[in-house]
Amino acid sequence: MRILLATAGSRGDVEPFAALAERACAAGHEVRLVAPKNSGVDMADLDVASMGVDYTRVIEDQGVSITAALRNYRSVVRPVMRGVIVGGALAALEYEPDLIVYHPKVLSAPLVADALGVPHVVVEIVPTLTPTRAFPAAGTITRGIGPLNRLTYQAAGAASIMFRSELGEVRRMVGARKRKVSAPAATLMPISPAILPRPDDWPESVHLTGPWTRAHRLAALELEVAEFVTDGPFIYAGFGSMAVGNATSRGGAIVDVARERGSRCLIATGVGGIEVPPDRLGADVLVVQTVSHTAVLQHATAAVHHGGIGTVHAAMTAATPSVIVPFIADQPFWGSRLYEMGLTPAPIPQRALTVPALSAALDEAEQCRPRITEVAKAMSAEDGTLTALTLLAAIH
């Protein structure tokens, strides 16, 4: 089968698609992955086509502030989304796949699939499209409102309105006369049912597959990191690409708490998420830009992170207690969900990350260890990547 995978966003949006591409290639399928450039994901062994957009550069230039995104909508956001919508369409038309599997940001995928006469499958990295009474859409509100939760999923439709001119360009490109497109053949969610039980009001076409990971390939650690993680207990902290607020204050608080507790700490600065003040550096603190969660978290006594779904999966798989410090998008959703399930303490808003708050949360996180261990055991039986590939093969 000839499969086109198309994704857009930062590393957390690209990594699952790269894992699926790798597994599909190993199974004998022809696969092309259309993705942003400079995502930080290893795609050296894959057939990759670039959309010509660089989310990392956008984050470095303007951070992840919603205010900045609105201020720079015409100059930054719209050009990036044109690359995703039009660039993604051009890549798909050139490849002529038998099946298109796409991230919801790739709004043109259904149009192109219909023009080519092939099925399309949408991948909800987090639950934003499929309505349910069980919980609100990720990125909207965190407290459930019962049956009205379904209304929060209408927000996803606004994207098609905001970028209707770009979609119109694709319609003209493919000769589509109708505005209505076909429904996805299926919806795949690379999320573990151990941390998001499947709602009973989801259609049968929606599948919680479990996370898509490269479990067979453990990333090699740099010597300095390898020596640090095997030299005794440590707390891990990383906020990925969350370049907003006072990163230096956050870094100082994390180091202070670790030292107060007699612990070392490994800090991943990411794309500006954390900055460690020079006066806090020492032999008990290792600062790197990025690190493999799969290789590191199994050794950590606790993980302080932003609550992106990729990091959540990695921490739960490693049975490592977490303190979630959410910033934007789906992070407050996961912070709330995991707290409700007894898997983490209450999330700490990034502006409220202080020494007392973090110290108390780490104490509470340790009390969650038995429940986390149960979830880790359940997740160890999952092979989300294989489940997804099996479902795709059945569709074709």
Side-chain angles (χ1 to χ4, degrees), residues 312-324:
V312 166
H313 276 137
M316 291 296 155
T317 300
T320 303
S322 291
V323 173
I324 294 180

Side-chain angles (χ1 to χ4, degrees), residues 242-260:
M242 297 299 103
V244 66
N246 193 331
T248 303
S249 175
R250 293 195 291 267
I254 292 165
V255 174
D256 288 347
V257 169
R259 285 177 173 158
E260 181 184 87

Side-chain angles (χ1 to χ4, degrees), residues 12 18 44 57 70 82 100 125 140 147 186 200 232 259 273 279 299 322 391:
R57 173 62 65 85
L70 292 173
R82 184 182 183 278
I100 297 178
I125 300 290
T140 57
D200 58 12
R259 285 177 173 158
D279 64 351
H299 301 287
S322 291
L391 288 165

Side-chain angles (χ1 to χ4, degrees), residues 228 233-240 242 244 246-270 272-277 279-282 284-288 300-307 322-327 348-362:
F228 187 89
F234 65 93
I235 294 170
Y236 168 81
F239 297 144
M242 297 299 103
V244 66
N246 193 331
T248 303
S249 175
R250 293 195 291 267
I254 292 165
V255 174
D256 288 347
V257 169
R259 285 177 173 158
E260 181 184 87
R261 303 169 74 84
S263 176
R264 302 177 306 143
C265 59
L266 170 60
I267 293 180
T269 59
I274 303 177
E275 190 73 33
V276 179
D279 64 351
R280 301 300 209 288
L281 295 174
D284 59 340
V285 179
L286 179 60
V287 180
V288 296
T301 56
V304 182
H305 57 89
H306 57 314
S322 291
V323 173
I324 294 180
V325 183
F327 290 71
I348 304 174
Q350 58 98 359
R351 294 177 183 272
L353 184 63
T354 62
V355 169
L358 180 54
S359 183
L362 285 168

Side-chain angles (χ1 to χ4, degrees), residues 309-371:
I309 185 56
T311 313
V312 166
H313 276 137
M316 291 296 155
T317 300
T320 303
S322 291
V323 173
I324 294 180
V325 183
F327 290 71
I328 60 168
D330 63 308
Q331 298 158 19
F333 173 86
W334 293 116
S336 177
R337 294 294 300 169
L338 295 180
Y339 172 58
E340 290 172 3
M341 295 179 70
L343 293 169
T344 64
I348 304 174
Q350 58 98 359
R351 294 177 183 272
L353 184 63
T354 62
V355 169
L358 180 54
S359 183
L362 285 168
D363 287 338
E364 292 181 43
E366 184 58 35
Q367 302 304 310
C368 299
R369 189 178 290 276
R371 180 76 179 94

Side-chain angles (χ1 to χ4, degrees), residues 11 21 27 73 80 112 136 143 156 162 186-187 204 211 251 295 329 348 358:
R11 181 169 190 157
Y73 172 73
V80 166
V112 175
R143 182 170 295 181
M162 291 174 64
T187 295
E204 291 184 3
I348 304 174
L358 180 54

